Amino acid sequence: MSNQPPVTTTDAGCPVASDEFSLAVGTNGPLLLQDTYLIEKLAHFVRERVPDRVYHVKGGGAFGYFEATADVTEWTKAGFLSKVGKRTPVLIRFSSVAGEEGYPDSDRDVRGWALRFYTEEGNYDLVGNNTPVFFVRDPMKFPDFIHSQERMPDTGLRSNNMQWDFWSLSPESAHQVTVLMSDRGTPRTWRHMNGFGSDTYMWENAGGKKFWVKYHFKTEQGIQNFTDAEAKAMRAEDLDCHRRDLWDAVAGGDYPSWRLEMQIMPYEDAADYRFNPFDVTKVWPHADYPPITVGRLVLDRNPENFFAQIVQAGFDVANFVPGIGPSPDRMVLARMLAYADSSRYRTGPNYAQLPVNQPLNEVHNYNKDGPMRYRHNGNQPVYAPNSYGGPKGDLQRYRDPSWFVEAAEIMRTAYESHRDDNDFIQPGMLYRQVMTQTDRDHLVDNIVGHLSQGVERPIQERAVNDYWAKVDPDLGAHVAHGLGMPKPNKP
Ligand code: NDP
C-alpha cells in the first residue's frame, strides 16, 4: 500500500492544485472567479449545518445490538423478538431536551432515549425518555410546554419564572417535575440512567390477540446521579461530559448495557384499570403489572461520523414492525406525525435514504423524486395500480382497520378519567414510598433552589399551595419553609 496521501479533488472528482493557496492576481490579489475549487469550498462551508431539532438538540449516540432473552411469542409476533438469542442491530441517540448544541450536558433536564432496531421487517423506532412519564398528556399543550422551557421572547434568556408558571398551571406535570427536580434530573452519565418507552404501545401475537405494553430499559451499570452542586460544578469542568463519557466507554471496550423489562396488560383490562393506561403522566404500578425481563441492549460501536450518523439520524415514532403498534395514548398518536415531519424539514423528504436511516430490508413503494433522491427503481412503474409487477400492499397488515379505535364520538374532550386518576397520587407515591430520606431532602433543596431564581412571588405561591402541597403536605411545607412562606393549608 502506498504511503502517499490521495490527491485532493473537487466534489466532482477532478484533481485540484492546492488546499493552501487561492488563485490570485499577484501576491495581494484580487482573487479570480475561475478558482472554482475555492468557491466550492467556501460555498460548501456555509451550508454545513442542517436546521437543529427544535428540542432534544444536544445529544450523542452509539450503535450496538439488542438480544432477545425470553420467549415473548405469547404476546407479539414481532420477528426481532421471535427467538431467544436473536440479535438485532441498533442505534441509540441520547439527548437533553431544552438546551441548544453546546449547552452543558450536566444541567437539570429530562434525557431523550431514541432507539432504532434495524429489524428484518423494517426499522422499529422506540423514542422515549429516561423517565417513565411526561409533563403533558395532550399534544395540544406540547409546543406550549417546550416554549416555556426555552428562551424568553424579549431577553433571549431562559426563565425559571416561565417554567414554573407553565408547570404550576398544568397539574398533570407534577409527576414528571417531581422526577426532574430529584437527583434523577441530573444523571451522572447516559450509561447510568434507565430508559423508558414512556408512552403505552400495543403488541399483537400471531393469533391476533392484543396487549398493551410499556418498555423499561434498566441500566446494568446501576443508577448514578449528580447532586445539584456536582452538576453545577461539572458545567465549569466539561460541557460535554455525557457525550464524552459514552464515547470513551465504548472506545475503551466498556460496553454499556440495559435489561429490557416489559409491563404487559391484557387488552380488556384497559377499560376499567384504576388509572387511564394511556395517560403518559402515569405509570402502571409494578404490583399491578410486574415487569418481565425479555432482552438486553448493548452498545459496542461508536459512530464513524457524528454528523452523518447522529445529527442526521431521523427517528420516527410511526416506524412500527408487524406485531407492534400504537395505543390510543394521544401523545403517541400526535408523535406519529411529528417525527417524520421534523426530518422532512431538517434533512428533506428523502431523509430515509441516508445510510443511517435506511432499513436493512428493501424499500418498495411509489414515492419518487424530490431533493437529493438517489434510490430509484429504474424504469419500474411509478404508479399503482399497474400492469407491470409493481409492489402491492398486504391487506393482512390491516385486517382490523380500526386497530384500537373503538367507535367513539370525535370531539375535543378532556382525557377520560379512571377510578384513581388524579394528577397528584403518583408523584405522592414516589415521594412517600419510593424515595429515601436523602432523595427527599435533595428534592426539597432542588425545588427551593430552582424556585428561588427569578420566579415571581405569586407563581411561587401557586407552586407551593396548588402543586407541591397537593403532591404531599409535608413536601409542600418544606418547600414553603425554604422560600420563607407560611405553611400551606391542608389541601
Ligand atoms: P415500585 O416500588 O414497585 O417501583 C418503584 C420504581 O421507582 C422502581 O422502578 C425504581 O427503579 C424507581 N425509583 C427508585 N427511586 C427512584 C427515584 N428517586 N426517582 C424515580 N424513580 C425511582 O413502585 P410502583 O410501581 O408502585 O410505583 C411507585 C412510584 O414509583 C410511581 O408513582 C412512580 O413515581 C415511581 N416509578 C414507577 C415506575 C413504574 O413503572 N411502575 C417506574 C419508575 C418510577 P430504579 O431505581 O431501577 O429506577
Side-chain angles (χ1 to χ4, degrees):
M1 205 166 105
S2 158
N3 286 332
Q4 288 297 314
V7 172
T8 307
T9 69
T10 64
D11 278 343
C14 308
V16 302
S18 172
D19 265 296
E20 196 172 0
F21 303 113
S22 47
L23 201 58
V25 181
T27 321
N28 297 321
L31 301 181
L32 296 173
L33 189 59
Q34 65 259 42
D35 191 353
T36 52
Y37 179 60
L38 174 68
I39 292 168
E40 178 184 283
K41 194 168 180 177
L42 295 181
H44 197 279
F45 174 65
V46 298
R47 290 168 176 79
E48 278 178 3
R49 302 280 180 271
V50 294
D52 273 338
R53 292 165 169 86
V54 175
Y55 54 101
H56 286 286
V57 176
K58 173 98 189 273
F63 295 90
Y65 63 87
F66 174 82
E67 181 170 333
T69 58
D71 181 358
V72 294
T73 51
E74 179 188 342
W75 301 297
T76 179
K77 62 184 175 197
F80 78 104
L81 295 170
S82 62
K83 228 170 60 201
V84 173
K86 188 169 173 67
R87 284 191 177 186
T88 302
V90 299
L91 162 69
I92 194 163
R93 180 175 183 271
F94 302 103
S95 53
S96 315
V97 182
E100 300 87 355
E101 187 63 76
Y103 219 72
D105 282 347
S106 59
D107 268 26
R108 182 171 306 284
D109 205 345
V110 167
R111 301 302 190 288
W113 171 279
L115 181 60
R116 165 166 296 159
F117 300 84
Y118 295 95
T119 88
E120 290 149 5
E121 300 173 294
N123 287 349
Y124 171 45
D125 292 349
L126 181 72
V127 190
N129 282 320
N130 69 331
T131 63
V133 290
F134 195 63
F135 296 91
V136 293
R137 61 171 72 95
D138 195 305
M140 188 63 93
K141 293 181 79 168
F142 187 79
D144 301 299
F145 160 64
I146 291 293
H147 290 172
S148 75
Q149 310 297 300
E150 292 177 330
R151 292 172 183 276
M152 292 288 283
D154 52 352
T155 59
L157 295 170
R158 288 191 66 190
S159 158
N160 288 12
N161 194 64
M162 187 161 67
Q163 294 182 33
W164 284 101
D165 192 26
F166 179 88
W167 288 334
S168 60
L169 290 171
S170 304
E172 72 272 31
S173 67
H175 197 177
Q176 175 75 307
V177 177
T178 305
V179 179
L180 175 66
M181 287 295 145
S182 79
D183 286 347
R184 297 210 178 193
T186 50
R188 189 168 285 273
T189 80
W190 291 327
R191 295 181 298 128
H192 293 93
M193 62 186 201
N194 295 333
F196 297 89
S198 307
D199 288 298
T200 295
Y201 291 97
M202 184 167 57
W203 274 8
E204 184 184 26
N205 70 16
K209 205 163 154 49
K210 294 170 179 147
F211 304 85
W212 306 116
V213 298
K214 280 189 177 290
Y215 294 75
H216 307 248
F217 289 87
K218 305 300 280 282
T219 172
E220 294 187 332
Q221 290 66 245
I223 296 279
Q224 284 187 28
N225 302 305
F226 286 128
T227 62
D228 194 60
E230 286 171 336
K232 285 181 174 138
M234 186 50 83
R235 282 180 146 203
E237 201 176 307
D238 186 358
L239 295 175
D240 302 319
C241 60
H242 288 173
R243 192 182 276 180
R244 191 183 318 280
D245 172 83
L246 179 66
W247 179 279
D248 287 350
V250 173
D254 181 12
Y255 303 141
S257 57
W258 287 260
R259 207 172 49 253
L260 173 57
E261 297 178 357
M262 298 297 299
Q263 285 185 290
I264 300 174
M265 177 188 286
Y267 187 85
E268 301 71 30
D269 283 17
D272 61 358
Y273 180 48
R274 60 193 178 116
F275 299 109
N276 184 330
F278 311 120
D279 173 352
V280 70
T281 70
K282 307 249 165 34
V283 297
W284 303 348
H286 292 138
D288 294 351
Y289 296 97
I292 301 165
T293 300
V294 308
R296 189 160 179 264
L297 170 73
V298 178
L299 303 180
D300 62 1
R301 183 161 63 89
N302 277 320
E304 291 84 45
N305 185 276
F306 191 83
F307 181 83
Q309 295 171 296
I310 302 297
V311 176
Q312 293 201 126
F315 298 89
D316 182 354
V317 172
N319 284 348
F320 292 115
V321 290
I324 304 180
S327 79
D329 178 333
R330 292 187 194 191
M331 291 295 287
V332 172
L333 299 177
R335 295 171 74 217
M336 284 169 65
L337 164 83
Y339 281 66
D341 201 35
S342 160
S343 289
R344 285 190 282 264
Y345 163 66
R346 295 180 61 233
T347 40
N350 289 315
Y351 75 95
Q353 294 185 18
L354 293 170
V356 74
N357 295 328
Q358 274 178 19
L360 296 180
N361 54 335
E362 281 185 21
V363 172
H364 300 283
N365 60 41
Y366 297 95
N367 294 334
K368 69 190 267 284
D369 302 352
M372 306 304 289
R373 186 160 191 103
Y374 77 89
R375 190 179 61 214
H376 62 82
N377 297 326
N379 66 349
Q380 295 302 298
V382 290
Y383 55 90
N386 64 74
S387 320
Y388 304 100
K392 279 208 165 86
D394 172 10
L395 276 178
Q396 280 302 309
R397 266 303 270 133
Y398 287 100
R399 71 183 171 282
D400 172 5
S402 64
W403 269 91
F404 51 79
V405 181
E406 313 283 336
E409 204 181 331
I410 294 178
M411 55 189 177
R412 289 188 196 278
T413 169
Y415 226 87
E416 184 199 339
S417 274
H418 287 218
R419 196 176 68 241
D420 288 350
D421 275 346
N422 161 319
D423 292 325
F424 301 107
I425 286 182
Q426 292 199 352
M429 284 159 54
L430 176 62
Y431 181 76
R432 287 183 295 273
Q433 297 166 26
V434 177
M435 287 186 168
T436 63
Q437 189 54 47
T438 307
D439 291 336
R440 285 194 281 265
D441 291 345
H442 287 195
L443 175 68
V444 171
D445 288 350
N446 296 340
I447 294 171
V448 171
H450 208 273
L451 269 168
S452 300
Q453 289 168 15
V455 180
E456 293 164 8
R457 198 59 166 177
I459 294 179
Q460 289 181 332
E461 285 166 0
R462 191 166 64 218
V464 168
N465 296 311
D466 297 338
Y467 204 76
W468 295 119
K470 290 183 176 173
V471 170
D472 184 88
D474 175 64
L475 173 60
H478 280 101
V479 174
H481 177 75
L483 293 170
M485 283 168 41
K487 209 170 164 182
N489 294 328
K490 274 217 169 350

